[in-house]
Amino acid sequence: MTTLDLPAAPVATAPAAAVAEPERRVRLGGVTREDVLTLAGAVTGSLALDWMLYERILAFSGALGFLVGWYVLFLAGYVLLGRLQWGPQLVRERLVAVLAWSSGLLVLGAIVDQIGYVLVRGLHAASHLNFFTESMEHTAALSPITSGGALNAVVGSLEQLGLATLFAVPLGIAAAVFMSEVGGRMARPVRTLVEAMTALPSIVAGLFILGIVIVTLGWEKSGFAASLALTVMMMPIVTRAAEVVIRLVPGTLREASYALGGSQWRTVWNVVLPTARPGLVTAVVLGMARGVGETSPVLLTSGFTSQFNGNPFAEHQVSLPLYIWNYVKQPYPEMVSRAFAAALTLMVVVLILFVTARVVGGRTPGRLTRRQRRRIARAAHPAIREH
């Protein structure tokens, strides 16, 4: 019998159980059914236990204490329920996640509560057009809500903030460049002074301008004096933020400029500052948002008036924070409603400034805008045609 006549060897077939199953995607993180049930059980059980302690067993009272007790009991209940089904390490991980989420929700709830309260109290006055087109010059305490407004306060705030920005931005950016690019023996004292000014109470800034500019030099209270007080408050904010942004500029850009023969000041002016421009704009906007809501410096330096004054260098000039402070404490509902409407206007201004800072500061240092890319492309086309 030849090799071709040998019986074929039996082929080993794999059992059905050994057949490879299709791969399943493993989901990392996420929320499972056990997580939801454990969280719901801890919330419900802690609420029932807290109600029983407050209403039936202990002589406690007050909404704040009830909420704090509920939160503490909720954390304890969540740990106990989690320990029944998870290991100690996983329980700690879930507890930290719950603490983080609850803290974020607490802050969000507080912000929504404040905005909603101001909106409800001030919407009645802000819904009338005269609030943004008239001043309080011809409006008495018992005048209807359709008379008078906050035009003088809005204009005063914008002028004072504009002057303060004009003074604070060059000084703040110059100080940041000195600390980050020049250095030397004086850099540390300047940085220490700027950090101390960052925590300076606003009333101290107002007293400083009141004592130096108004009492010593004999200037009258005006919007210009208020802008100087706001400059004292804004300058350290701009300086600290600008220094951090300038330090983020890559050192290779400076080295390339020095290698091409550029001096230190030309490198700073043509390389460092343009690269850090989005961050510098963010620093300026944050400083403006800090200064627009200050009340104490303005109260001591600008004076108060119900008339419209568009000249910040002469006579008293009111701003939105001072307008709110003066009218919210009066016993007349219309005046209180106008104060809350002014607060709503101030919140909108601050929100616009912070959104602007977020949008402008979202770009990384050195990232080109669309306009800059188009300009570079247009400049490169003639060179391409020449080749």
Side-chain angles (χ1 to χ4, degrees):
M1 183 170 56
T2 62
T3 307
L4 297 178
D5 296 332
L6 294 176
V11 180
T13 59
V19 177
E21 297 181 357
E23 296 182 356
R24 291 183 300 176
R25 180 176 298 178
V26 178
R27 182 181 180 184
L28 299 177
V31 180
T32 62
R33 180 185 178 188
E34 290 77 9
D35 297 337
V36 176
L37 294 178
T38 303
L39 185 63
V43 171
T44 306
S46 61
L47 178 60
L49 181 59
D50 190 33
W51 178 84
M52 183 181 300
L53 292 175
Y54 260 74
E55 298 294 333
R56 293 293 183 266
I57 300 177
L58 303 177
F60 292 159
S61 62
L64 180 61
F66 181 84
L67 294 177
V68 172
W70 182 17
Y71 185 70
V72 173
L73 292 175
F74 160 70
L75 295 179
Y78 186 79
V79 171
L80 293 177
L81 292 177
R83 193 65 185 87
L84 295 176
Q85 50 186 332
W86 304 318
Q89 185 175 1
L90 188 56
V91 170
R92 288 193 297 268
E93 180 184 353
R94 300 292 174 84
L95 179 61
V96 172
V98 169
L99 286 172
W101 275 95
S102 59
S103 301
L105 292 176
L106 178 62
V107 173
L108 181 61
I111 295 174
V112 171
D113 178 70
Q114 294 179 10
I115 296 177
Y117 181 76
V118 175
L119 181 64
V120 171
R121 295 293 301 273
L123 188 61
H124 177 55
S127 60
H128 295 82
L129 184 61
N130 60 280
F131 180 79
F132 301 99
T133 58
E134 298 180 7
S135 64
M136 298 293 293
E137 182 176 0
H138 303 290
T139 303
L142 298 179
S143 299
I145 201 67
T146 55
S147 174
L151 177 63
N152 54 342
V154 173
V155 173
S157 289
L158 294 179
E159 291 182 350
Q160 294 171 18
L161 182 63
L163 289 174
T165 304
L166 182 63
F167 300 148
V169 170
L171 294 175
I173 294 181
V177 171
F178 172 77
M179 291 186 294
S180 60
E181 298 295 326
V182 179
R185 295 181 178 180
M186 292 300 298
R188 179 172 296 180
V190 172
R191 183 176 292 106
T192 303
L193 180 61
V194 170
E195 292 177 354
M197 290 180 63
T198 304
L200 183 71
S202 58
I203 189 67
V204 177
L207 289 174
F208 173 75
I209 299 300
L210 177 65
I212 299 298
V213 177
I214 298 177
V215 176
T216 304
L217 299 180
W219 292 12
E220 63 177 350
K221 292 184 177 182
S222 61
F224 177 72
S227 66
L228 294 179
L230 294 180
T231 301
V232 177
M233 299 301 303
M234 293 172 54
M235 187 175 61
I237 304 298
V238 176
T239 302
R240 291 294 298 159
E243 182 189 9
V244 172
V245 172
I246 292 175
R247 288 183 179 275
L248 292 178
V249 177
T252 53
L253 296 179
R254 299 180 178 88
E255 296 173 358
S257 177
Y258 294 147
L260 294 175
S263 61
Q264 183 181 20
W265 290 110
R266 183 172 293 274
T267 300
V268 171
W269 185 259
N270 294 332
V271 177
V272 176
L273 293 182
T275 304
R277 185 181 302 166
L280 295 178
V281 174
T282 304
V284 173
V285 175
L286 291 177
M288 295 173 63
R290 168 69 186 275
V292 72
E294 291 293 341
T295 305
S296 300
V298 179
L299 176 64
L300 296 174
T301 55
S302 70
F304 182 84
T305 178
S306 59
Q307 300 178 358
F308 179 84
N309 180 18
N311 184 9
F313 299 97
E315 300 181 353
H316 295 180
Q317 187 181 54
V318 70
S319 63
L320 281 174
L322 192 56
Y323 183 96
I324 298 168
W325 178 84
N326 185 74
Y327 290 127
V328 76
K329 59 183 181 179
Q330 296 194 11
Y332 308 105
E334 290 79 8
M335 289 297 187
V336 176
S337 181
R338 292 187 182 95
F340 275 97
L344 182 62
T345 305
L346 184 61
M347 291 174 60
V348 171
V349 172
V350 174
L351 179 62
I352 292 174
L353 292 176
F354 273 105
V355 170
T356 304
R358 182 65 178 176
V359 172
V360 175
R363 297 192 298 268
T364 57
R367 181 180 176 183
L368 300 177
T369 62
R370 294 182 179 179
R371 180 180 300 178
Q372 291 173 336
R373 289 196 296 267
R374 288 196 299 265
R375 186 171 57 188
I376 293 175
R378 286 194 302 266
H381 285 327
I384 294 176
R385 287 195 296 267
E386 291 177 1
H387 290 289

